[in-house]
Amino acid sequence: DVKVTQSSRYLVKRTGEKVFLECVQDMDHENMFWYRQDPGLGLRLIYFSYDVKMKEKGDIPEGYSVSREKKERFSLILESASTNQTSMYLCATIGQGRNEQFFGPGTRLTVL
Amino acid sequence: GENVEQHPSTLSVQEGDSAVIKCTYSDSASNYFPWYKQELGKGPQLIIDIRSNVGEKKDQRIAVTLNKTAKHFSLHITETQPEDSAVYFCAASPGAYNTDKLIFGTGTRLQVFP
């Protein structure tokens, strides 16, 4: 079974802090994604990566950056956290040419 | 770009009844339509999907139908059980040759009452 793990289930940060959310997958998948989930808005794509050191902006990249130094690890960075970034963050992975995205359990981030 | 609308946002049914969730999409080039189920405290998980060359697909108590002309697709759950209670998301691939990236609907919270 594919395993996608996220570094924290719950995180509380202060406005202006730099925040790192980590995602690790164990299936050697090329493609990895970061979404945020908000009530009434569904899942919105922040960034995705098709390979190591490769990244592309999703639909809502403002205020976020990403890093993919190793194939199994995809990090989401909030350079200066703001209260409107309080949300559930979900990481997902998919194999090249495959259909199913596998999601991690999510990180609920609260920015005070 | 692709836009996916999902209705209803909440749905309550009695155990044993059927539940239907509907989605519409805007990009006529989309050709892959998955449905994900998210249980409390977990990430979404794929439960069924359909490609644009097929009109209907079934897997035990769940089925998905696709109307390409009208650009809408639906999830049907029959004989609902309490364990079907979850948030369901539809999605569409934004372009004929890219099934990796998905555009998700806004979600439907299904509650099945015993």
Side-chain angles (χ1 to χ4, degrees):
Chain A
D1 279 353
V2 175
K3 191 134 188 164
V4 182
T5 56
Q6 295 184 228
S7 50
S8 305
R9 295 300 300 270
Y10 299 93
L11 209 51
V12 180
K13 296 292 181 181
R14 298 240 174 241
T15 302
E17 278 192 80
K18 190 169 185 176
V19 182
F20 293 87
L21 302 183
E22 304 282 338
C23 176
V24 178
Q25 51 102 357
D26 68 354
M27 284 301 291
D28 201 36
H29 284 175
E30 291 80 6
N31 308 325
M32 298 187 75
F33 304 82
W34 274 108
Y35 296 91
R36 65 176 282 176
Q37 180 179 4
D38 300 287
L41 297 177
L43 303 174
R44 293 180 292 166
L45 183 63
I46 305 171
Y47 266 97
F48 59 104
S49 169
Y50 284 135
D51 204 347
V52 175
K53 296 192 187 295
M54 182 279 184
K55 60 187 178 186
E56 286 193 33
K57 293 179 179 179
D59 300 315
I60 52 164
E62 296 78 19
Y64 304 94
S65 62
V66 291
S67 172
R68 189 146 181 221
E69 296 296 319
K70 293 185 178 181
K71 191 175 185 179
E72 67 271 19
R73 187 180 299 268
F74 191 34
S75 303
L76 180 69
I77 304 158
L78 287 65
E79 294 289 342
S80 178
S82 63
T83 54
N84 62 12
Q85 292 178 311
T86 291
S87 186
M88 170 69 83
Y89 289 88
L90 290 162
C91 173
T93 179
I94 185 172
Q96 194 72 32
R98 308 300 295 273
N99 298 325
E100 182 176 359
Q101 288 195 17
F102 293 90
F103 284 83
T107 296
R108 184 165 293 282
L109 172 67
T110 301
V111 182
L112 302 176
Chain B
E2 174 70 282
N3 183 49
V4 177
E5 294 190 2
Q6 182 172 348
H7 299 282
S9 56
T10 61
L11 181 59
S12 297
V13 299
Q14 205 75 35
E15 183 177 1
D17 287 350
S18 295
V20 180
I21 303 170
K22 298 182 179 181
C23 289
T24 60
Y25 61 99
S26 60
D27 186 353
S28 56
S30 292
N31 70 345
Y32 175 65
F33 307 93
W35 285 88
Y36 283 78
K37 175 184 181 182
Q38 185 179 29
E39 297 177 342
L40 199 61
K42 297 183 179 180
Q45 186 171 10
L46 179 70
I47 55 171
I48 196 168
D49 56 12
I50 192 168
R51 291 195 173 273
S52 57
N53 57 349
V54 175
E56 183 176 1
K57 185 177 177 181
K58 281 185 179 179
D59 183 3
Q60 298 181 18
R61 295 186 298 107
I62 60 173
V64 57
T65 58
L66 172 66
N67 183 326
K68 277 190 67 178
T69 304
K71 288 189 282 188
H72 66 70
F73 57 111
S74 301
L75 177 72
H76 304 254
I77 306 174
T78 58
E79 300 171 28
T80 53
Q81 300 168 4
E83 52 264 38
D84 294 328
S85 296
V87 179
Y88 292 82
F89 292 98
C90 63
S93 64
Y97 302 104
N98 182 358
T99 57
D100 291 349
K101 186 180 168 187
L102 296 172
I103 303 299
F104 285 87
T106 50
T108 296
R109 182 174 297 279
L110 173 65
Q111 288 183 299
V112 180
F113 292 97

